[in-house]
Amino acid sequence: MTTSQTAPPSVTPGRRRTWRYLAGLLVLAVLLVVAGRLAWSWLNPMGEQTVDRSQPVLLQSIKDLSRFEAATGSFQVVVDLEKDANFLPDAVKGSRTLFVGAGGVDAYVDFAGLAGDALTVSEDRRSVTITLPPAQLEKPNLDNERSYVFAQQRGLLDRAEDFLSGSPADQRELYVLAERKIAEAAAASDLRARADANTRSMLEGMLKSLGFTEVTFKAGTRP
């Protein structure tokens, strides 16, 4: 008994040509998509281009410093500034801003104010007495990269005013307030005392390296 097997259908040349066309169209479509994405990222008609046309920095003045930067303090304050209208609710007119201000305050001793008799040396040149002025504080220096608006709430009229003016709300008041609070905190801290101690330690080490065995400090008046 013999069994007959059916031969597999042969692929005609026309069908094979059709599959080749489809594969070619698929590859072409993929290439077009990739090329389109590359061209869009390169041209990017909706993108922005930043051009720095700033003028060269102009040196206005140079001053000789005769001060010793003895200590520095790092401070951070959260400014909570609220402005309310007299007869309107906050949702209509008013604002509240939380601003994080971070910066440093330097403490220094100014040697330029030393009098002629500020330094007294003994006859054997073994002991010296120095009258030092007390340390002073520089103005706070806010760090723009660490200072920012944390949260802000504004009424409808305030939002409309900012939109019509075309410029964001002025933040100078926040910076000024943060600087004032940091200056008050620095004045209430032991920053000046630390600067006084560091200045005495520096001068004592320098004078003893010159051969003096005894160094005495007297507190001078604030300039």
Side-chain angles (χ1 to χ4, degrees):
M1 181 178 180
T2 61
T3 59
S4 60
Q5 295 181 352
T6 305
S10 60
V11 180
T12 61
R15 183 175 299 178
R16 186 181 298 111
R17 192 179 301 111
T18 301
W19 281 109
R20 289 178 179 176
Y21 287 155
L22 292 176
L25 290 176
L26 181 61
V27 173
L28 181 60
V30 172
L31 292 177
L32 289 176
V33 171
V34 173
R37 290 181 62 88
L38 292 177
W40 180 267
S41 61
W42 180 53
L43 297 175
N44 195 5
M46 302 298 294
E48 295 181 353
Q49 183 179 3
T50 302
V51 180
D52 186 2
R53 292 192 174 91
S54 304
Q55 299 297 319
V57 178
L58 177 63
L59 176 62
Q60 294 183 337
S61 63
I62 296 179
K63 295 182 180 180
D64 295 329
L65 298 179
S66 57
R67 61 177 57 176
F68 174 62
E69 300 289 342
T72 183
S74 180
F75 298 87
Q76 180 173 305
V77 61
V78 177
V79 177
D80 189 349
L81 184 62
E82 183 175 0
K83 296 182 178 180
D84 297 325
N86 292 330
F87 305 103
L88 294 176
D90 294 341
V92 178
K93 178 64 177 178
S95 65
R96 183 179 180 183
T97 305
L98 296 179
F99 177 77
V100 178
V105 178
D106 295 330
Y108 67 94
V109 174
D110 191 0
F111 295 145
L114 293 178
D117 57 349
L119 190 144
T120 304
V121 181
S122 63
E123 293 183 357
D124 59 356
R125 302 189 64 84
R126 304 298 294 174
S127 62
V128 59
T129 302
I130 305 175
T131 303
L132 280 179
Q136 304 179 60
L137 297 179
E138 286 277 13
K139 293 180 59 178
N141 183 20
L142 252 63
D143 188 349
N144 293 329
E145 294 183 355
R146 297 167 53 207
S147 302
Y148 58 94
V149 174
F150 176 73
Q152 189 175 40
Q153 298 176 352
R154 293 179 297 168
L156 295 176
L157 295 181
D158 297 276
R159 294 176 181 272
E161 183 179 355
D162 292 341
F163 177 77
L164 294 176
S165 63
S167 60
D170 192 0
Q171 296 181 359
R172 285 180 296 180
E173 184 179 4
L174 297 171
Y175 278 86
V176 171
L177 189 56
E179 289 180 354
R180 189 176 70 197
K181 290 183 176 296
I182 289 178
E184 293 173 353
S189 68
D190 63 342
L191 187 57
R192 281 181 293 198
R194 179 71 64 86
D196 289 331
N198 292 341
T199 304
R200 294 190 182 99
S201 178
M202 182 272 297
L203 291 176
E204 184 176 4
M206 181 183 67
L207 291 172
K208 285 187 175 181
S209 66
L210 295 176
F212 293 96
T213 58
E214 183 180 355
V215 181
T216 305
F217 294 98
K218 290 184 178 180
T221 59
R222 190 177 302 277

